[in-house]
mmCIF file of all heavy atoms in Angstrom:
data_model
loop_
_atom_site.group_PDB
_atom_site.id
_atom_site.type_symbol
_atom_site.label_atom_id
_atom_site.label_comp_id
_atom_site.label_asym_id
_atom_site.label_seq_id
_atom_site.Cartn_x
_atom_site.Cartn_y
_atom_site.Cartn_z
ATOM 1 N N ASN A 195 -24.467 5.476 23.258
ATOM 2 C CA ASN A 195 -25.417 4.668 24.054
ATOM 3 C C ASN A 195 -25.279 4.972 25.572
ATOM 4 O O ASN A 195 -26.289 5.003 26.305
ATOM 5 C CB ASN A 195 -25.181 3.183 23.779
ATOM 6 C CG ASN A 195 -25.577 2.798 22.398
ATOM 7 O OD1 ASN A 195 -26.481 3.403 21.749
ATOM 8 N ND2 ASN A 195 -24.947 1.737 21.889
ATOM 9 N N LYS A 196 -24.071 5.139 26.059
ATOM 10 C CA LYS A 196 -23.817 5.455 27.425
ATOM 11 C C LYS A 196 -24.455 6.806 27.776
ATOM 12 O O LYS A 196 -25.100 6.927 28.852
ATOM 13 C CB LYS A 196 -22.335 5.444 27.724
ATOM 14 C CG LYS A 196 -21.689 4.098 27.723
ATOM 15 C CD LYS A 196 -20.177 4.198 28.116
ATOM 16 C CE LYS A 196 -19.560 2.886 28.189
ATOM 17 N NZ LYS A 196 -18.061 3.055 28.415
ATOM 18 N N GLN A 197 -24.266 7.791 26.895
ATOM 19 C CA GLN A 197 -24.803 9.109 27.144
ATOM 20 C C GLN A 197 -26.330 9.026 27.129
ATOM 21 O O GLN A 197 -27.018 9.712 27.956
ATOM 22 C CB GLN A 197 -24.343 10.098 26.056
ATOM 23 C CG GLN A 197 -24.793 11.527 26.222
ATOM 24 C CD GLN A 197 -24.119 12.093 27.483
ATOM 25 O OE1 GLN A 197 -23.097 11.707 27.904
ATOM 26 N NE2 GLN A 197 -24.812 13.121 27.980
ATOM 27 N N ARG A 198 -26.928 8.284 26.124
ATOM 28 C CA ARG A 198 -28.386 8.162 26.076
ATOM 29 C C ARG A 198 -28.939 7.483 27.343
ATOM 30 O O ARG A 198 -29.968 7.908 27.900
ATOM 31 C CB ARG A 198 -28.724 7.373 24.859
ATOM 32 C CG ARG A 198 -30.212 7.429 24.564
ATOM 33 C CD ARG A 198 -30.612 6.626 23.334
ATOM 34 N NE ARG A 198 -29.925 7.119 22.136
ATOM 35 C CZ ARG A 198 -28.975 6.472 21.517
ATOM 36 N NH1 ARG A 198 -28.489 5.329 21.922
ATOM 37 N NH2 ARG A 198 -28.402 7.025 20.402
ATOM 38 N N THR A 199 -28.229 6.432 27.765
ATOM 39 C CA THR A 199 -28.620 5.704 29.043
ATOM 40 C C THR A 199 -28.529 6.618 30.221
ATOM 41 O O THR A 199 -29.422 6.628 31.099
ATOM 42 C CB THR A 199 -27.759 4.455 29.211
ATOM 43 O OG1 THR A 199 -27.850 3.636 28.098
ATOM 44 C CG2 THR A 199 -28.252 3.691 30.439
ATOM 45 N N LYS A 200 -27.476 7.417 30.259
ATOM 46 C CA LYS A 200 -27.338 8.377 31.375
ATOM 47 C C LYS A 200 -28.459 9.392 31.407
ATOM 48 O O LYS A 200 -29.033 9.708 32.452
ATOM 49 C CB LYS A 200 -25.970 9.060 31.291
ATOM 50 C CG LYS A 200 -25.664 10.012 32.477
ATOM 51 C CD LYS A 200 -24.264 10.549 32.252
ATOM 52 C CE LYS A 200 -23.975 11.492 33.430
ATOM 53 N NZ LYS A 200 -22.592 12.140 33.257
ATOM 54 N N GLU A 201 -28.811 9.924 30.219
ATOM 55 C CA GLU A 201 -29.830 10.915 30.135
ATOM 56 C C GLU A 201 -31.235 10.303 30.531
ATOM 57 O O GLU A 201 -32.020 10.909 31.170
ATOM 58 C CB GLU A 201 -29.953 11.505 28.727
ATOM 59 C CG GLU A 201 -28.695 12.350 28.352
ATOM 60 C CD GLU A 201 -28.781 12.800 26.897
ATOM 61 O OE1 GLU A 201 -29.690 12.403 26.162
ATOM 62 O OE2 GLU A 201 -27.874 13.618 26.517
ATOM 63 N N GLU A 202 -31.412 9.024 30.067
ATOM 64 C CA GLU A 202 -32.669 8.354 30.499
ATOM 65 C C GLU A 202 -32.788 8.121 31.968
ATOM 66 O O GLU A 202 -33.820 8.326 32.509
ATOM 67 C CB GLU A 202 -32.846 7.068 29.690
ATOM 68 C CG GLU A 202 -33.072 7.178 28.217
ATOM 69 C CD GLU A 202 -33.025 5.815 27.447
ATOM 70 O OE1 GLU A 202 -32.791 4.835 28.153
ATOM 71 O OE2 GLU A 202 -33.335 5.839 26.266
ATOM 72 N N ASN A 203 -31.624 7.739 32.552
ATOM 73 C CA ASN A 203 -31.629 7.518 33.985
ATOM 74 C C ASN A 203 -31.851 8.853 34.745
ATOM 75 O O ASN A 203 -32.595 8.880 35.744
ATOM 76 C CB ASN A 203 -30.281 6.918 34.434
ATOM 77 C CG ASN A 203 -30.108 5.505 33.946
ATOM 78 O OD1 ASN A 203 -31.104 4.755 33.719
ATOM 79 N ND2 ASN A 203 -28.916 5.052 33.764
ATOM 80 N N GLU A 204 -31.234 9.921 34.214
ATOM 81 C CA GLU A 204 -31.510 11.223 34.885
ATOM 82 C C GLU A 204 -32.941 11.671 34.719
ATOM 83 O O GLU A 204 -33.505 12.235 35.688
ATOM 84 C CB GLU A 204 -30.545 12.262 34.223
ATOM 85 C CG GLU A 204 -29.073 12.116 34.602
ATOM 86 C CD GLU A 204 -28.169 13.078 33.882
ATOM 87 O OE1 GLU A 204 -28.731 13.854 33.019
ATOM 88 O OE2 GLU A 204 -27.006 13.098 34.240
ATOM 89 N N THR A 205 -33.509 11.415 33.587
ATOM 90 C CA THR A 205 -34.917 11.713 33.428
ATOM 91 C C THR A 205 -35.811 10.888 34.381
ATOM 92 O O THR A 205 -36.791 11.453 34.989
ATOM 93 C CB THR A 205 -35.420 11.455 31.945
ATOM 94 O OG1 THR A 205 -34.550 12.196 31.033
ATOM 95 C CG2 THR A 205 -36.807 11.835 31.745
ATOM 96 N N VAL A 206 -35.538 9.610 34.466
ATOM 97 C CA VAL A 206 -36.319 8.787 35.373
ATOM 98 C C VAL A 206 -36.128 9.262 36.864
ATOM 99 O O VAL A 206 -37.129 9.337 37.631
ATOM 100 C CB VAL A 206 -35.885 7.320 35.239
ATOM 101 C CG1 VAL A 206 -36.541 6.430 36.306
ATOM 102 C CG2 VAL A 206 -36.319 6.774 33.843
ATOM 103 N N ASP A 207 -34.882 9.537 37.233
ATOM 104 C CA ASP A 207 -34.669 10.075 38.590
ATOM 105 C C ASP A 207 -35.379 11.367 38.872
ATOM 106 O O ASP A 207 -35.977 11.578 39.921
ATOM 107 C CB ASP A 207 -33.204 10.224 38.840
ATOM 108 C CG ASP A 207 -32.436 8.924 38.826
ATOM 109 O OD1 ASP A 207 -33.122 7.882 38.999
ATOM 110 O OD2 ASP A 207 -31.195 8.902 38.577
ATOM 111 N N ALA A 208 -35.437 12.226 37.837
ATOM 112 C CA ALA A 208 -36.126 13.499 38.002
ATOM 113 C C ALA A 208 -37.603 13.351 38.092
ATOM 114 O O ALA A 208 -38.265 13.919 38.973
ATOM 115 C CB ALA A 208 -35.791 14.427 36.833
ATOM 116 N N SER A 209 -38.170 12.388 37.357
ATOM 117 C CA SER A 209 -39.600 12.091 37.432
ATOM 118 C C SER A 209 -39.938 11.502 38.730
ATOM 119 O O SER A 209 -40.995 11.818 39.390
ATOM 120 C CB SER A 209 -40.030 11.228 36.321
ATOM 121 O OG SER A 209 -39.380 9.917 36.406
ATOM 122 N N HIS A 210 -39.045 10.550 39.267
ATOM 123 C CA HIS A 210 -39.330 9.972 40.605
ATOM 124 C C HIS A 210 -39.252 11.116 41.684
ATOM 125 O O HIS A 210 -40.042 11.110 42.608
ATOM 126 C CB HIS A 210 -38.296 8.886 40.837
ATOM 127 C CG HIS A 210 -38.496 7.688 40.104
ATOM 128 N ND1 HIS A 210 -37.589 6.612 40.019
ATOM 129 C CD2 HIS A 210 -39.566 7.262 39.307
ATOM 130 C CE1 HIS A 210 -38.093 5.662 39.257
ATOM 131 N NE2 HIS A 210 -39.334 6.044 38.814
ATOM 132 N N ALA A 211 -38.224 11.978 41.516
ATOM 133 C CA ALA A 211 -38.186 13.051 42.539
ATOM 134 C C ALA A 211 -39.356 13.937 42.510
ATOM 135 O O ALA A 211 -39.923 14.377 43.518
ATOM 136 C CB ALA A 211 -36.870 13.791 42.275
#
Side-chain angles (χ1 to χ4, degrees):
N195 290 334
K196 288 181 181 179
Q197 185 66 24
R198 192 180 300 109
T199 303
K200 183 178 179 181
E201 291 176 356
E202 290 176 355
N203 292 334
E204 290 177 353
T205 303
V206 172
D207 292 340
S209 63
H210 286 172

